[in-house]
Amino acid sequence: MLWGGLLLLCLLRGALGAGRPPGSEGRRAGDTSHISQDLGGDIPAMDTNETRIVEDNHSYYVSRIYGPGQAQLRGLWVELAAANGSHARIHRILSNSHRQGARVALSFDFPFYGHPLRQVTIATGGFIFVGDVPHRMLTATQYIAPLMANFNPSYSHSSTVQYLDNGTVLVVQWDRVYLQGREDVGSFTFQAALHSSGRIVFGYKEVPVPVLQISPAQHPVRAGLSDAFLVLSPDPAQPESRRRTIYEYHRVELDPSRISSRSAVEFTPLPTCLQHLSCHTCLSSELPFNCSWCHALHRCSSGFDRHREEWLSHGCAQSGARSCEDRGEGEDQGEGGAPSPRHQPHPLPHPTGSGLPGSRTTEGEHPKTPRPQNPETPNP
């Protein structure tokens, strides 16, 4: 189902940024560029010495980048051709499509930013959409992107999008895919592995051209992770409907200069408030997220995650317990309540007709000439 009404993208900067080194946020706090122009972001500074492991702590994940020839690369790349044929599958529709996505059910719970997922949407553009509701701007938030770009698997019969689910890991591989309009540079082969532990691995087998040379004019180019939450609010323009607003509360952007053939990136998940199942463990947590316990939901949260709407509707923002004996008497701002001025979300202007993608696609790439059609929903 597509989202009706208005679609806004708001950036929640700094609310959960504790523990991130300078330069790891991706975009500057207060950046209010139009969504169709805010597709690149600042590149975080990283060591470019290929003989060293580059590690960065992004609050939710620790990422490690391995360059060509490093011993740690062994075992990170999954050879689908050698995998059990009953498990590895070539997605015929995606392998013969451009700017298309398809939902795939997982056989296990995959924890992403602490949220268990049982289905994802694989896109031809080199990324996996992990949101609950597909919409016209899949490339904007809620993605796992080993290399998001304007790939066109339908260009060559040798290009495939394939995946493997063996019960403990989902591996998605974009195999010998070409860039639309840049077919002369050669084919790309890379994959993303989603482990049941929450660990994520990006593997790059063939990257024939530096990523920095890939143009974002027709499709955003990025590598990393993003998650967001949805909030429904009354629409002043249409009182009978509600406005759906997406808040991106965290993003990890990788340095594109580090992505090359025979390289890999490994993301190890860090603890979140959601993992605490009791009031005592929640309030005694030393995590950098201001964990708060809501008795109404029996949940530990910072108030800024995918359960944000439920957190607000059950009054958890006002009744987060300071102690386990406190049953919500009084205010507890700053622990699941409204963000402080320093952490106030920065809404972007509503994308009008000229800012919405015009092609009938599920990926929602960088806008082109607007057309009156609505984008298609993903294939089942």
Side-chain angles (χ1 to χ4, degrees):
M1 175 183 295
L2 295 175
W3 291 7
L6 302 178
L7 174 66
L8 302 181
L9 174 66
C10 299
L11 307 178
L12 187 58
R13 293 301 170 203
L16 298 178
R20 281 182 289 180
S24 67
E25 289 89 346
R27 287 180 297 198
R28 296 179 296 274
D31 188 345
T32 56
S33 304
H34 192 282
I35 185 171
S36 66
Q37 301 170 344
D38 193 18
L39 297 171
D42 297 334
I43 299 173
M46 288 187 179
D47 189 346
T48 58
N49 185 349
E50 291 188 357
T51 64
R52 296 178 57 191
I53 298 173
V54 180
E55 180 174 313
D56 203 352
N57 185 327
H58 305 279
S59 296
Y60 289 89
Y61 292 89
V62 172
S63 63
R64 298 178 179 88
I65 303 178
Y66 306 107
Q70 292 185 246
Q72 291 84 353
L73 287 173
R74 296 176 183 174
L76 294 183
W77 179 266
V78 179
E79 287 291 350
L80 295 186
N84 189 323
S86 63
H87 290 134
R89 297 181 54 188
I90 294 177
H91 199 290
R92 298 296 179 184
I93 295 178
L94 294 181
S95 299
N96 293 280
S97 302
H98 179 217
R99 296 190 175 186
Q100 184 63 272
R103 288 187 182 180
V104 172
L106 280 67
S107 64
F108 58 91
D109 287 331
F110 169 65
F112 185 65
Y113 281 87
H115 300 279
L117 306 181
R118 264 302 177 109
Q119 69 174 13
V120 297
T121 298
I122 301 173
T124 57
F127 70 99
I128 301 171
F129 175 69
V130 290
D132 295 327
V133 183
H135 54 83
R136 288 176 289 179
M137 290 185 173
L138 300 194
T139 60
T141 63
Q142 296 186 293
Y143 57 74
I144 297 172
L147 183 52
M148 183 189 294
N150 194 16
F151 294 109
N152 180 11
S154 67
Y155 171 77
S156 170
H157 291 298
S158 64
S159 301
T160 60
V161 178
Q162 46 190 300
Y163 64 97
L164 162 71
D165 183 344
N166 67 2
T168 61
V169 61
L170 172 72
V171 181
V172 180
Q173 181 166 312
W174 293 263
D175 194 75
R176 291 174 288 181
V177 294
Y178 291 82
L179 288 168
Q180 176 74 2
R182 294 289 309 278
E183 294 83 3
D184 59 305
V185 303
S187 65
F188 293 69
T189 297
F190 55 94
Q191 63 181 214
L194 283 53
H195 295 262
S196 58
S197 63
R199 178 170 155 262
I200 302 171
V201 178
F202 294 165
Y204 305 94
K205 188 175 183 179
E206 296 177 0
V207 181
V209 64
V211 176
L212 289 171
Q213 294 183 15
I214 302 176
S215 171
Q218 300 299 320
H219 191 295
V221 178
R222 57 167 63 105
L225 312 174
S226 169
D227 200 26
F229 57 79
L230 171 70
V231 172
L232 300 178
S233 59
D235 186 351
Q238 301 179 15
E240 68 281 0
S241 64
R242 290 192 295 173
R243 174 180 297 169
R244 294 164 172 84
T245 306
I246 301 176
Y247 289 86
E248 182 187 52
Y249 64 89
H250 193 263
R251 175 185 292 193
V252 177
E253 290 187 336
L254 300 177
D255 182 352
S257 68
R258 300 274 318 157
I259 298 174
S260 64
S261 299
R262 299 177 301 282
S263 66
V265 182
E266 183 178 26
F267 298 92
T268 303
L270 295 171
T272 69
C273 300
L274 294 172
Q275 75 179 40
H276 297 302
L277 302 180
S278 72
C279 178
H280 287 286
T281 57
C282 177
L283 298 188
S284 62
S285 170
E286 296 182 357
L287 299 179
F289 300 127
N290 291 325
C291 297
S292 179
W293 180 259
C294 180
H295 290 280
L297 295 175
H298 200 73
R299 179 182 300 152
C300 183
S301 174
S302 65
F304 297 102
D305 53 43
R306 293 192 178 195
H307 301 303
R308 172 70 174 176
E309 182 76 12
E310 188 179 30
W311 186 265
L312 295 175
S313 65
H314 282 77
C316 301
Q318 289 74 36
S319 62
R322 294 188 183 91
S323 70
C324 293
E325 290 71 29
D326 181 359
R327 291 296 184 261
E329 302 295 331
E331 298 296 325
D332 191 16
Q333 296 300 325
E335 293 192 348
S340 64
R342 186 172 63 91
H343 294 159
Q344 191 68 29
H346 302 286
L348 299 182
H350 169 59
T352 58
S354 61
L356 293 175
S359 57
R360 294 173 57 83
T361 72
T362 60
E363 290 189 20
E365 288 87 337
H366 190 73
K368 300 191 296 182
T369 304
R371 300 173 186 173
Q373 302 99 316
N374 289 322
E376 298 172 353
T377 57
N379 296 298

